[in-house]
Amino acid sequence: MNQPRSTPRVVAVRTPSKHYDILIGHGLLGSAPSWQGLPRCTHAVLVSNPTVFALHGEQALASMRAMAPRTSQVLLPDGEAYKDWSNLNTVFDHLLREGCDRKAMLFALGGGVVGDMAGFAAACYMRGVPFVQLPTTLLAQVDSSVGGKTAINHPLGKNMIGAFQQPERVLCDLATLATLPPRELRAGLAEVIKYAPIADPALMDWLEAHLDALLAGDAEALAHAVQRSCEIKADVVGSDERESGRRAILNFGHTFGHAIEAGLGYGQWLHGEAVGCGMVIAATLSADLGLITRAFAERVARLVQRAGLPVEAPALGLDRWFELMAVDKKAEAGDTRYVLIDAPGSATLRAVPRTLVEAAIRRHTVAPRAGAALPA
């Protein structure tokens, strides 16, 4: 494995509501300079889950103790199925029991679920307290920790209840990726792949050339993938913080992916697995509409498949598909709108006739049992 850089890479996020930096490097959780410049706080609260805390919690707490007179931690159950009101209240219960005031600061140590829960809690507690993202999964480092979208799930729709709350900083410690199970690493690659067809054709070429290195956990390849992903997301978020226009393109594959997650039951497929499959359906739909060539759609599908992600969806039933997609946040006036590729490196958002969407779903559907079976 390549020797990691000692100096972190920095990606600046500049939105109307907040300016902050994403730091990318090895050993950032225990590096004092990475924590300097954060707002002073009376109480630093670590939000994590038992799995991640056992691996990285004490290192994070040691750095937090150096910046706050009081520290504590609250651990949430591990998994998408627990991203709900009940477990969000666990965070609020802790903050209230500990007597946390408006100068408290939350630190989200974990993947997308922990980041969303801690961020939403920070947005709500006393009408807003600061928080810091400490993402420990590839998916969180390249996507969910950046941009300030926080939410919990509802049985009728994923991420439908939430708030925009930008973090004070994002610390992407690449050393934490070495502890990821292979399935989690593959799921994270879906969000890296997402950026290529919608924003950066050169990234598509790079991913095709370096995918084996990414799957093997190569330090330099992962650092580049995280940095380029964050650069693209920072650019998009900076121009459209609250998803009123351009930012919606970052949901490429997510309308279909969220339907898979909700239709199977949260936690059956990982978010990245569902998004990978959703991207394949969306690329096929883009080709069916004549926006891109069939060859480019197949190129997207090959990259998803090479990453070890599913390219065939479970048979939810067409009516169930459309029921679930109708509550997608991009729906307007009853019309579901889909993020489509309109040229390599460019995306558009539009409503599509149901018959064409049905055809694309059918083309990538297998029996429920086969579709739900994924490698551990």
Side-chain angles (χ1 to χ4, degrees), residues 34 39 48 128 174 245 285 309 376:
S34 302
S48 190
L174 300 174
L285 185 56
L309 298 165

Side-chain angles (χ1 to χ4, degrees), residues 3 34 70 92 116 147 162 169 242 250 269 271 277 308 353 369:
Q3 196 69 20
S34 302
R70 294 181 62 203
F92 294 139
D116 267 19
R169 185 172 299 166
R242 291 184 172 262
L250 298 177
W269 281 26
H271 175 67
C277 188
R369 193 171 182 184

Side-chain angles (χ1 to χ4, degrees), residues 11-22 166-169 238 241:
V11 176
V13 182
R14 301 291 180 258
T15 74
S17 70
K18 189 181 290 291
H19 292 187
Y20 59 95
D21 289 334
I22 307 165
Q166 299 292 348
E168 302 297 320
R169 185 172 299 166
E241 181 178 11

Side-chain angles (χ1 to χ4, degrees), residues 109-187:
L109 179 72
V113 171
V114 165
D116 267 19
M117 297 280 277
F120 193 21
C124 297
Y125 188 70
M126 292 193 171
R127 299 186 179 92
V129 296
F131 86 112
V132 174
Q133 289 274 16
L134 308 173
T136 61
T137 67
L138 181 59
L139 189 147
Q141 291 186 4
V142 302
D143 183 63
S144 62
S145 68
V146 179
K149 286 170 68 172
T150 72
I152 59 173
N153 297 329
H154 187 278
L156 297 180
K158 181 178 169 69
N159 292 336
M160 295 302 290
I161 303 164
F164 287 94
Q165 179 82 345
Q166 299 292 348
E168 302 297 320
R169 185 172 299 166
V170 181
L171 296 184
C172 296
D173 189 338
L174 300 174
T176 63
L177 301 183
T179 64
L180 275 185
R183 185 183 176 190
E184 291 277 0
L185 181 68
R186 294 194 299 268

Side-chain angles (χ1 to χ4, degrees), residues 28-265:
L28 300 187
L29 288 179
S31 169
S34 302
W35 297 73
Q36 291 173 355
L38 288 170
R40 294 176 62 85
C41 63
T42 56
H43 193 144
V45 179
L46 186 69
V47 182
S48 190
N49 66 49
T51 303
V52 174
F53 185 82
L55 294 167
H56 312 293
E58 287 302 328
Q59 189 177 34
L61 281 172
S63 295
M64 291 162 57
R65 291 184 187 112
M67 60 173 292
R70 294 181 62 203
T71 62
S72 62
Q73 67 269 2
V74 54
L75 303 185
L76 303 173
D78 189 3
E80 186 77 26
Y82 302 104
K83 199 170 83 167
D84 57 19
W85 276 119
S86 173
N87 288 291
L88 184 65
N89 272 325
T90 299
V91 182
F92 294 139
D93 290 345
H94 178 86
L95 296 174
L96 289 164
R97 278 197 304 266
E98 291 288 322
C100 293
D101 58 23
R102 283 194 172 97
K103 293 295 184 181
M105 185 153 51
L106 274 58
F107 293 80
L109 179 72
V113 171
V114 165
D116 267 19
M117 297 280 277
F120 193 21
C124 297
Y125 188 70
M126 292 193 171
R127 299 186 179 92
V129 296
F131 86 112
V132 174
Q133 289 274 16
L134 308 173
T136 61
T137 67
L138 181 59
L139 189 147
Q141 291 186 4
V142 302
D143 183 63
S144 62
S145 68
V146 179
K149 286 170 68 172
T150 72
I152 59 173
N153 297 329
H154 187 278
L156 297 180
K158 181 178 169 69
N159 292 336
M160 295 302 290
I161 303 164
F164 287 94
Q165 179 82 345
Q166 299 292 348
E168 302 297 320
R169 185 172 299 166
V170 181
L171 296 184
C172 296
D173 189 338
L174 300 174
T176 63
L177 301 183
T179 64
L180 275 185
R183 185 183 176 190
E184 291 277 0
L185 181 68
R186 294 194 299 268
L189 286 173
E191 294 285 5
V192 179
I193 292 170
K194 170 190 74 177
Y195 294 109
I198 63 169
D200 188 358
L203 179 60
M204 191 88 167
D205 297 335
W206 185 88
L207 285 168
E208 288 171 334
H210 294 85
L211 191 60
D212 290 343
L214 290 169
L215 288 166
D218 180 80
E220 200 62 29
L222 286 169
H224 177 79
V226 173
Q227 179 181 356
R228 186 65 192 121
S229 298
C230 288
E231 287 171 347
I232 294 170
K233 184 155 190 183
D235 176 66
V236 174
V237 169
S239 66
D240 179 20
E241 181 178 11
R242 291 184 172 262
E243 205 170 57
S244 59
R246 184 188 175 204
R247 185 169 177 173
I249 70 170
L250 298 177
N251 288 302
F252 176 59
H254 286 58
T255 300
F256 297 107
H258 287 170
I260 292 171
E261 289 184 88
L264 288 177

